[in-house]
Amino acid sequence: MPRTVTNDAAPEIASSSPRPSVVEVHDLTRRFGEFTAVDAISFEVFEGEVFAFLGPNGAGKSTTINMLCTLAHPSAGQIRVAGLDVTARPKAVRRNIGLVFQDQTLDDRLTAQENLRFHAVLYRVPRDQVDARIARVLELVDLSERRHDLVSEFSGGMARRLEIARALMHVPRVLFLDEPTIGLDPQTRALMWEDVLRLREEAHITVFLTTHYMDEAEYADRIAIIDHGKIVAIDTPQALKAEIGADTVDLGTTDDVAAIAALERDGYRVEAVAGGARVYVEHGENAVPALIESVGVPVLNVHVHQPTLDDVFLHYTGREIRESHAEAIPARMRARFARRGR
Amino acid sequence: MSSVPPHSSAVEGPETVMRDELRTTGMVWLRELIRFERTRTRILSGLIQPVLFLIVMGYGMAGLVGSVEGFGFKKFVFPGIMAMSVVTTAIFSGMSIVWDREFGFLREMLVAPTSRASLALGKTAGGATVAAVQGTIMLVLAPLIGVHLTAVLVAEIIGLELLMAIALTAFGVFVATHIERMEGFQVVMQMLLFPMIFLSGALFPLNKLPGWLNVITHVNPLTYAVAPLRQVVFAAQHMPAKARERFPSSVEVFGHTLSIGTELAIVVAFVVIFIALAIRGFSRTE
Ligand SMILES: Nc1ncnc2c1ncn2[C@@H]1O[C@H](COP(=O)(O)OP(=O)(O)OP(=O)(O)O)[C@@H](O)[C@H]1O
Ligand SMILES: [Mg+2]
């Protein structure tokens, strides 16, 4: 099987040529009684990309990921992972995927290495490759030094990275991460993202992850926004932002009425807002000098705003996802962190 | 749309599968040993309780029961307390699955592409080994009690302890797979473990019990495991006939004295049943 070297090419370039898909989902549905948690969604994940499922609490992210990982049965629809039908061959699928759950699943009385060795045996890594794999995955998450330390001595972030390393032990085709950064401090989250992006570069791993952090979704090659069990948008972060509209430049001047009239005369799309004029343009930052010239009256302040994923989310769902960290962490998990801290 | 073929789609022969499953069982077994070795406090506390019982029963009751031609209650109760130590450790080890669930590690095991039976067997083998080790450590007290040890006797004791431990660990695994919460664990320990130990003949002879208690002792699997242990220990001691009468060691059913072979066959039957239940319990766990 040709494992293409072009996997780590920029997504823009790669998406122009047909790429093999590692995950294929058709009309996937999951009902709990009357309630439809996942509603006839279809999508593909291409080899070598980082694909993010972005959605608020209860959107159906975990339910979807569980079905992709053979841990829950679909009510309807088809899933193929690494070319295998998930319902027909669950064990073969599990051997081809790496899994990191929302809750921690390490044995903290074992060392990092022992946890990895345990996993290697359960996932049938050939005996003579185990040591090399352990060294490799620890290197990927930068934990080689802590190899012989007990997991109980690890911080939350280190434990999470060890879980990622463990999920890579058996060289999976796809790595599934359910809320990988939940409950981590911003610095650790950044470190974890470095790990994930390095995996894509060095190990050519396809990553499927769920998150409800907007800033995190930015790192992904493609994003699916999921709300009430439906995919409402799916594309690269750049394309999603471009689709909902242009940049805006807000100008405060000594005479806003004159400024607006002057801008309209020059053909700009303008509207009056509190404190000045708002102009809609393609590339806000580059347009500023021309705008100032066009206004004709002295400019007091300038504010350029580029659409963010927050705007995208608001556009597609009519709501904002803004939750404090504490709310976002499930109670079970909070209890676990508290216990670890003792 | 082209899709990528899986990288391990090769069909494996039954031999390879068998070897991989055994490797899994071995790994789960090893994990139990590593965890045991790392928790010294558990080993120590596992020793303190039996020693306490030995002092209370052995010396406290000795005055009441008296000794027959130099053979005292201490020597009678010693094998029983050894059994108690094995049984407690075994059930605890089996039920540690409740902890595995609480701390998430159970999930790591359950989602692995391996058979649940291999996991259940590994857990049982590991817990049983730990329990047998814990029971065998108690042999260091034998000289203090005046129990004479030979190499053969030690081997017999270890064998019997293992058998007993396998049955009870498997039982613990089975119970744990039906318990969702930690609180349930406490209840089971109170309601099952202590009556099982007290009504097994481990701590006092069963021959003078009222009828209804007698029935319970005979359905108690432990009864048939404690008796052989005591029999092999007694067989290696100098024991006057009168002492044998005073301190009976075998199980009687409807006036018949069971042979050690029959007792062992009954224990093996329980081992098979409990292992089957443990595997079933593990297979159904989510
Ligand atoms: N076992 C279940 N029984 C009934 N309803 C369920 C079950 N599991 C999930 N749900 C419901 O399905 C919906 C989707 O849940 P899911 O866990 O997939 O959300 P999520 O997107 O992962 O949210 P979060 O960000 O909180 O993890 C929720 O409304 C939830 O209440
Ligand atoms: Mg979730």
Side-chain angles (χ1 to χ4, degrees), chain A residues 33-332:
Chain A
E34 292 285 283
F35 179 72
T36 307
V38 175
D39 195 356
I41 60 173
S42 301
F43 63 92
E44 283 176 73
V45 179
F46 301 115
E47 181 162 43
E49 75 176 342
V50 174
F51 185 90
F53 241 44
L54 177 68
N57 285 131
K61 302 184 297 294
S62 294
T63 307
T64 305
I65 214 169
N66 284 344
M67 289 190 287
L68 299 188
C69 296
T70 77
L71 303 180
H73 295 292
S75 307
Q78 290 92 45
I79 311 169
R80 290 179 83 80
V81 172
L84 299 160
D85 187 287
V86 165
T87 322
R89 305 196 51 201
K91 270 193 192 175
V93 167
R94 267 182 261 162
R95 225 167 292 159
N96 279 282
I97 62 177
L99 262 175
V100 177
F101 297 107
Q102 215 164 325
D103 295 325
Q104 191 189 301
T105 62
L106 294 163
D107 183 344
D108 64 359
R109 299 253 190 96
L110 298 185
T111 64
Q113 168 165 299
E114 285 161 352
N115 269 287
L116 297 178
R117 203 174 282 286
F118 191 95
H119 186 91
V121 170
L122 260 59
Y123 284 76
R124 300 172 180 187
V125 176
R127 224 176 265 269
D128 53 348
Q129 289 172 25
V130 173
D131 286 315
R133 282 304 299 164
I134 290 176
R136 173 81 179 120
V137 296
L138 284 176
E139 197 184 309
L140 277 172
V141 297
D142 206 12
L143 283 175
S144 304
E145 310 270 282
R146 310 299 300 257
R147 187 174 179 149
H148 298 291
D149 291 354
L150 288 178
V151 171
S152 56
E153 292 161 9
F154 278 27
S155 69
M158 282 162 60
R160 184 45 62 92
R161 283 156 61 209
L162 180 61
E163 290 197 293
I164 293 179
R166 183 179 65 180
L168 295 172
M169 271 302 287
H170 55 288
V171 202
R173 300 298 304 282
V174 203
L175 180 60
F176 288 95
L177 307 169
D178 195 5
E179 309 264 3
T181 56
I182 202 158
L184 304 181
D185 61 76
Q187 215 178 339
T188 314
R189 282 169 61 191
L191 265 179
M192 217 221 62
W193 268 101
E194 263 174 45
D195 288 341
V196 168
L197 297 176
R198 189 164 52 223
L199 294 181
R200 188 189 51 178
E201 298 309 318
E202 292 181 14
H204 307 298
I205 278 276
T206 308
V207 182
F208 180 107
L209 60 92
T210 70
T211 182
H212 55 240
Y213 294 129
M214 289 293 172
D215 50 338
E216 257 176 35
E218 295 271 3
Y219 289 108
D221 296 322
R222 285 195 307 139
I223 303 172
I225 295 180
I226 180 165
D227 192 29
H228 297 305
K230 286 198 170 76
I231 293 181
V232 292
I234 181 166
D235 215 324
T236 63
Q238 298 78 16
L240 284 173
K241 284 186 284 194
E243 200 165 312
I244 63 156
D247 295 359
T248 57
V249 181
D250 289 354
L251 298 162
T253 63
T254 51
D255 184 350
D256 292 337
V257 178
I260 290 173
L263 287 164
E264 276 176 344
R265 202 165 43 239
D266 285 353
Y268 288 107
R269 192 152 72 84
V270 197
E271 69 184 42
V273 290
R278 171 166 297 170
V279 191
Y280 294 86
V281 286
E282 272 299 295
H283 299 286
E285 280 165 5
N286 298 338
V288 170
L291 288 173
I292 291 176
E293 201 157 299
S294 162
V295 166
V297 292
V299 174
L300 302 175
N301 52 57
V302 178
H303 178 77
V304 179
H305 179 77
Q306 294 169 319
T308 64
L309 282 178
D310 282 299
D311 302 321
V312 174
F313 192 83
L314 183 67
H315 174 80
Y316 283 109
T317 66
R319 280 175 295 127
E320 296 192 34
I321 334 182
R322 284 203 197 283
E323 295 130 324
S324 72
H325 275 210
E327 274 177 281
I329 305 170
R332 227 172 100 82

Side-chain angles (χ1 to χ4, degrees), chain B residues 21-92:
Chain B
E21 296 296 346
L22 270 177
R23 208 175 143 210
T24 302
T25 302
M27 194 70 220
V28 178
W29 172 80
L30 185 62
R31 169 176 176 253
E32 296 298 314
L33 294 205
I34 293 174
R35 286 174 64 97
F36 176 68
E37 193 265 333
R38 264 182 208 152
T39 45
R40 309 262 149 127
T41 50
R42 195 177 126 199
I43 304 176
L44 203 66
S45 71
L47 202 58
I48 286 171
Q49 198 201 15
V51 167
L52 223 59
F53 264 83
L54 206 55
I55 293 170
V56 172
M57 304 291 289
Y59 293 89
M61 302 286 281
L64 207 64
V65 181
S67 72
V68 181
E69 297 178 29
F71 194 96
F73 189 69
K74 277 184 300 193
K75 287 185 194 169
F76 168 83
V77 88
F78 182 68
I81 287 178
M82 220 156 48
M84 185 177 99
S85 166
V86 171
V87 166
T88 313
T89 315
I91 290 208
F92 248 103

